[in-house]
């Protein structure tokens, strides 16, 4: 079963209380942020706080550490910290423009999977090469930074984001990498969050990055198979198996043709539901 990434919550590594509370939150993954969420003067202390926090049990939640870029004065220290930590599931690299950015961190952190923040125009254009990197496990859309770089305006339909989102999705799917959507900033706007989650889910994202625990329930719901989808998947598999036993290459369920490709999708739906159930214990 693939680990689910329906909800990926940012937590400032300088906030010990927030990191403690995160141990009990229903998030599939946590990004412990050493970068944007930590003031420059607090960055060394944030590493110490994070080391203490990760000594605790976060259960099945994926533990991802976002470091500062290597071009900053804190980046190399963050990378060395992660190399010695051995308690993170992945290291998230900000503002990845191309595979060379991954190479530089890979040399400093030899044993931990890498994730890439996709948040620059150059990163969008190099998405396929980034996704093909052998050390890369996942991609995270940084839509706020991308909007700044594009000088685009916010629209509920995210039209200015579609080219970048699509390029990264294609790259991630081509190389079998996890990809999660960018954050929704208005954390009190539940309708807006749901609409954006549904859009990202329908596009093919594995989940959504979140900035507040109040957003977890909606993301978890939207990126999980519904009862109807699970029921349909089971019926498609059963019908196709029956048809195959009769020497037929297709089946019909609810008036629609079911071929082998639909069965493959149905099996993925059931696998995803099983993985989510395992997360809940």
């Amino acid at each position: 079963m693939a680990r689910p990434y329906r909800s990926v919550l940012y937590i400032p590594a300088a906030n010990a209380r927030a990191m403690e509370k995160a141990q009990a939150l229903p998030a599939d993954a946590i990004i412990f942020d050493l970068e944007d969420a930590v003031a420059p003067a607090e960055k060394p202390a944030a590493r110490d706080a994070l080391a203490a926090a990760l000594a605790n049990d976060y259960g099945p939640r994926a533990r991802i550490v976002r470091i500062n870029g290597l071009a900053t004065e804190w980046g190399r220290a963050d990378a060395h910290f992660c190399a010695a930590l051995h308690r993170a599931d992945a290291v998230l690299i900000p503002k990845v423009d191309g595979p060379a950015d991954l190479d530089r961190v890979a040399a400093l952190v030899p044993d931990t999977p890498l994730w890439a923040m996709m948040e620059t125009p150059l990163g969008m254009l190099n998405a396929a090469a980034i996704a093909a990197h052998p050390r890369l496990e996942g991609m995270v859309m940084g839509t706020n930074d991308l909007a700044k770089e594009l000088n685009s305006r916010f629209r509920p339909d995210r039209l200015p984001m579609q080219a970048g989102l699509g390029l990264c999705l294609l790259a991630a799917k081509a190389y079998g990498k996890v990809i999660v959507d960018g954050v929704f900033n208005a954390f009190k706007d539940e309708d807006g969050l749901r609409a954006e989650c549904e859009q990202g889910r329908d596009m093919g994202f594995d989940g959504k990055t979140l900035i507040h625990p109040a957003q977890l329930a909606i993301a978890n719901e939207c990126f999980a198979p519904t009862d109807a989808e699970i029921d349909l998947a089971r019926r498609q598999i059963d019908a196709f198996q029956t048809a195959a036993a009769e020497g037929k290459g297709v089946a019909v369920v609810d008036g629609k043709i079911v071929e082998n490709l639909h069965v493959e999708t149905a099996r993925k739906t059931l696998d995803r539901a099983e993985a989510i159930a395992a997360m809940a214990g």
Side-chain angles (χ1 to χ4, degrees):
M1 292 182 298
R3 182 200 294 269
Y5 286 94
R6 298 167 298 165
S7 52
V8 182
L9 179 65
Y10 284 101
I11 297 286
N15 190 331
R17 176 58 179 153
M19 290 191 289
E20 179 183 356
K21 290 176 64 176
Q23 296 173 46
L25 292 175
D28 288 347
I30 300 166
I31 296 175
F32 298 94
D33 192 11
L34 292 167
E35 194 210 13
D36 286 347
V38 179
E42 299 299 321
K43 290 185 185 288
R47 286 192 290 268
D48 294 337
L50 178 55
L54 288 179
N56 296 308
D57 183 10
Y58 281 86
R61 300 161 190 82
R63 299 158 299 175
I64 303 167
V65 177
R66 182 165 73 168
I67 64 174
N68 289 274
L70 293 188
T72 70
E73 61 183 280
W74 314 284
R76 294 185 71 85
D78 287 349
H80 289 307
F81 165 78
C82 289
L85 189 61
H86 300 301
R87 289 195 294 270
D89 296 303
V91 174
L92 177 58
I93 306 164
K95 296 178 177 58
V96 174
D97 285 331
D101 294 327
L102 300 175
D103 290 338
R104 284 188 281 271
V105 176
L108 298 173
V109 188
D111 299 322
T112 307
L114 303 180
W115 283 46
M117 287 294 309
M118 304 300 294
E119 51 190 342
T120 68
L122 191 54
M124 304 299 104
L125 296 175
N126 289 328
I130 292 167
H133 196 283
R135 287 283 305 278
L136 190 79
E137 184 180 84
M139 305 169 84
V140 177
M141 297 306 305
T143 45
N144 282 336
D145 277 271
L146 182 59
K148 177 178 71 70
E149 294 292 324
L150 295 176
N151 195 31
S152 62
R153 295 184 178 183
F154 172 77
R155 290 174 49 132
D157 62 4
R158 297 199 295 178
L159 182 63
M161 295 285 110
Q162 291 305 307
L165 295 173
L167 285 169
C168 293
L169 268 167
L170 288 169
K173 300 302 179 178
Y175 291 99
K177 306 300 168 74
V178 177
I179 183 165
V180 292
D181 200 356
V183 300
F184 183 75
N185 296 314
F187 65 88
K188 294 184 179 180
D189 179 3
E190 293 187 355
D191 291 340
L193 172 64
R194 183 176 295 277
E196 199 164 286
C197 284
E198 290 175 348
Q199 182 195 51
R201 175 201 65 201
D202 293 350
M203 290 179 69
F205 282 101
D206 296 304
K208 192 161 186 66
T209 45
L210 308 170
I211 59 171
H212 195 280
Q215 298 176 314
L216 287 167
I218 289 175
N220 284 339
E221 177 190 343
C222 288
F223 284 95
T226 65
D227 290 343
E229 288 169 336
I230 292 170
D231 176 67
L232 176 60
R234 288 174 175 154
R235 291 190 291 115
Q236 286 175 326
I237 293 169
D238 290 343
F240 188 81
Q241 289 175 339
T242 299
E246 297 172 352
K248 301 176 182 177
V250 298
V252 178
V253 174
D254 296 344
K256 297 179 181 179
I257 292 294
V258 176
E259 299 178 290
N260 190 57
L261 65 92
H262 301 110
V263 173
E264 183 179 346
T265 300
R267 294 192 190 281
K268 288 180 179 178
T269 296
L270 297 185
D271 287 345
R272 186 172 179 82
E274 188 176 350
I276 291 168
M279 281 286 297

